Amino acid sequence: LRGSGPLVLGMCSLGQVQASDEPPCLVPDGQCCWVRTSIQKGADLIDGSAWIAAFEQRLTRAQQAVTTAVPGRRLLRQTLSDGDNPHFWGGTTADNASNHVKNQILKAMFEECGKGPARPVKLLTGHEVLFWFNVGPPGPARNRVYVTDALCPHQGVCLLSGELKDVEDLASSSKRGMIRCPRHNKTFDLKSGESPGNAEVLRVYPCRFEHGYWYVGVAASEAQEAAVRAGITAGMESGGYSGQADMVVDEPEQKRPRFNDPALPSTPLRNELRSTRTLVHHATMG
């Protein structure tokens, strides 16, 4: 199981819930609150390794078509480590494809399959997250599940349309699951959320499998606010909520007061602005 410590249900552990009981939807656990999702088994998730294999297969065919149509064509390759030793795209493999070609393949795959490399989930607390599966360091299947924000922290692009990678980590002699945003090619680590060479950090969430469901950990303060908006405060106090909740969107505050609001106090300026205004002709010079 990912995460440490038991899931607390009131004064008992979630593991002590009777088999006939419905597992709670919200489980307070100190500064964290575990939120139940509808995901119960691996088949509910997208196999990241299989998705990468299918993507590279399509990419190789597309790259072969490009190099055959334009023999000897070379494109400069962007690199961080070899600034004085430029690389070129000229081969027929997926590694030699440009990001433009990759983005075209990503768009075509999403339109044909109707899904990306991750499973989108909207939590009861209103968080929109993505479940990533079967990428990163080898190990048990439950240890290869990651949860991140659905949107890129740079400009809010949905990462469901991005490129999933299994990158070799030379420092640890292992693999790292990475996601590349298709807009500005920023790459984020699915485990830490860090982006090499960039200041933006993708938010990641702890997750664990309990009682036949995957739970996602969010800050207790965020879960409490969502519970109050949804009218399920009692469920938070008793350890969980097993019903459905309609999330309420708060009305955004107005950036500036409206002068025609009768609730505002009267002032000479507001009275003048509230009065009926008409356009008049004025003589101008020139």
Side-chain angles (χ1 to χ4, degrees):
L1 297 179
R2 296 179 61 81
S4 59
L7 293 181
V8 180
L9 175 60
M11 299 300 294
C12 64
S13 170
L14 181 61
Q16 298 177 5
V17 178
Q18 298 297 326
S20 59
D21 295 338
E22 178 73 13
C25 286
L26 296 176
V27 183
D29 185 11
Q31 298 298 320
C32 176
C33 179
W34 297 95
V35 185
R36 197 187 77 187
T37 68
S38 60
I39 300 175
Q40 295 184 271
K41 53 186 181 298
D44 296 333
L45 300 174
I46 305 297
D47 189 330
S49 296
W51 184 94
I52 293 175
F55 173 73
E56 291 182 347
Q57 185 178 10
R58 291 192 179 208
L59 199 56
T60 299
R61 292 200 300 265
Q63 189 67 8
Q64 289 174 348
V66 170
T67 54
T68 302
V70 187
R73 179 184 179 184
R74 300 193 304 173
L75 298 175
L76 281 174
R77 178 178 181 181
Q78 297 178 354
T79 179
L80 295 176
S81 59
D82 297 334
D84 296 330
N85 182 24
H87 291 245
F88 299 92
W89 283 299
T92 59
T93 62
D95 295 336
N96 296 313
S98 65
N99 286 331
H100 176 69
V101 175
K102 291 180 179 179
N103 291 342
Q104 289 181 328
I105 300 299
L106 289 172
K107 183 178 180 180
M109 288 182 63
F110 190 83
E111 291 177 350
E112 293 177 12
C113 304
K115 58 184 179 181
R119 165 73 185 273
V121 174
K122 186 171 184 179
L123 303 179
L124 181 64
T125 55
H127 296 80
E128 295 185 359
V129 301
L130 295 177
F131 269 79
W132 310 88
F133 173 58
N134 200 24
V135 290
R142 291 183 182 179
N143 291 345
R144 308 190 78 196
V145 177
Y146 307 93
V147 181
T148 70
D149 257 343
L151 303 180
C152 175
H154 182 216
Q155 288 191 353
V157 176
C158 182
L159 295 176
L160 196 61
S161 60
E163 177 191 358
L164 181 61
K165 301 181 179 182
D166 233 355
V167 181
E168 291 286 346
D169 188 356
L170 300 180
S172 61
S173 300
S174 184
K175 290 186 177 182
R176 298 169 60 187
M178 311 284 287
I179 179 64
R180 178 181 67 86
C181 178
R183 176 169 293 181
H184 293 107
N185 302 319
K186 294 181 182 289
T187 305
F188 300 93
D189 190 309
L190 299 180
K191 184 176 182 180
S192 65
E194 297 177 351
S195 177
N198 298 296
E200 293 85 1
V201 177
L202 177 65
R203 183 176 179 179
V204 297
Y205 299 83
C207 60
R208 63 192 303 165
F209 187 80
E210 284 280 0
H211 250 323
Y213 290 92
W214 277 97
Y215 282 77
V216 177
V218 301
S221 57
E222 296 176 336
Q224 183 67 30
E225 293 175 0
V228 171
R229 290 197 304 268
I232 55 176
T233 307
M236 286 287 294
E237 295 174 351
S238 61
Y241 172 73
S242 59
Q244 299 293 330
D246 295 329
M247 303 306 295
V248 179
V249 180
D250 293 334
E251 182 70 20
E253 296 182 0
Q254 299 176 6
K255 293 184 178 180
R256 62 179 63 181
R258 297 178 180 177
F259 291 101
N260 59 353
D261 189 351
L264 295 175
S266 298
T267 63
L269 176 60
R270 289 199 180 101
N271 292 336
E272 181 181 352
L273 293 175
R274 286 171 180 169
S275 61
T276 303
R277 292 177 293 176
T278 57
L279 294 176
V280 297
H281 294 284
H282 290 274
T284 58
M285 298 181 63

